[in-house]
Amino acid sequence: SDDELREAVITRWVEPRREMARAIVRRGIQDKEFRHGLDPDVVLDLLYGPIYHRLLVPYRGVDLSESYLDSLLETVFRGVAA
């Protein structure tokens, strides 16, 4: 609710890290590791969204285990197609 603090967090924390991650996705597209035409921000949202969801919503018996993160990466980068 503090607009000044919010702007500082976005400017000093969120955007610098997100730009580094965008560069990684763009490099993956350039190196043909990822398909052409991907929106780096959508890729990042697909990765970060489930992590933040698990951190913010108190499910029983659900954590951010290494196996969950591996599964998340596998699903995002390989998709859900048969």
Side-chain angles (χ1 to χ4, degrees):
S1 64
D2 182 329
D3 291 337
E4 193 173 315
L5 177 60
R6 182 177 192 271
E7 187 59 33
V9 168
I10 290 169
T11 302
R12 295 181 184 171
W13 176 261
V14 174
E15 271 306 312
R17 281 150 187 79
R18 197 147 167 114
E19 188 52 44
M20 285 188 292
R22 282 186 197 108
I24 292 168
V25 173
R26 286 188 197 109
R27 190 169 49 244
I29 294 167
Q30 180 182 350
D31 294 346
K32 299 184 180 175
E33 294 174 341
F34 304 146
R35 70 177 166 80
H36 178 75
L38 284 175
D39 180 333
D41 282 304
V42 172
V43 173
L44 298 177
D45 290 345
L46 287 167
L47 290 169
Y48 296 155
I51 294 169
Y52 285 118
H53 180 77
R54 290 223 173 172
L55 289 170
L56 295 172
V57 179
Y59 293 110
R60 287 190 179 106
V62 174
D63 60 6
L64 285 176
S65 66
E66 192 170 326
S67 64
Y68 171 75
L69 295 174
D70 287 344
S71 178
L72 174 62
L73 289 170
E74 176 79 15
T75 302
V76 168
F77 289 115
R78 291 196 186 265
V80 296

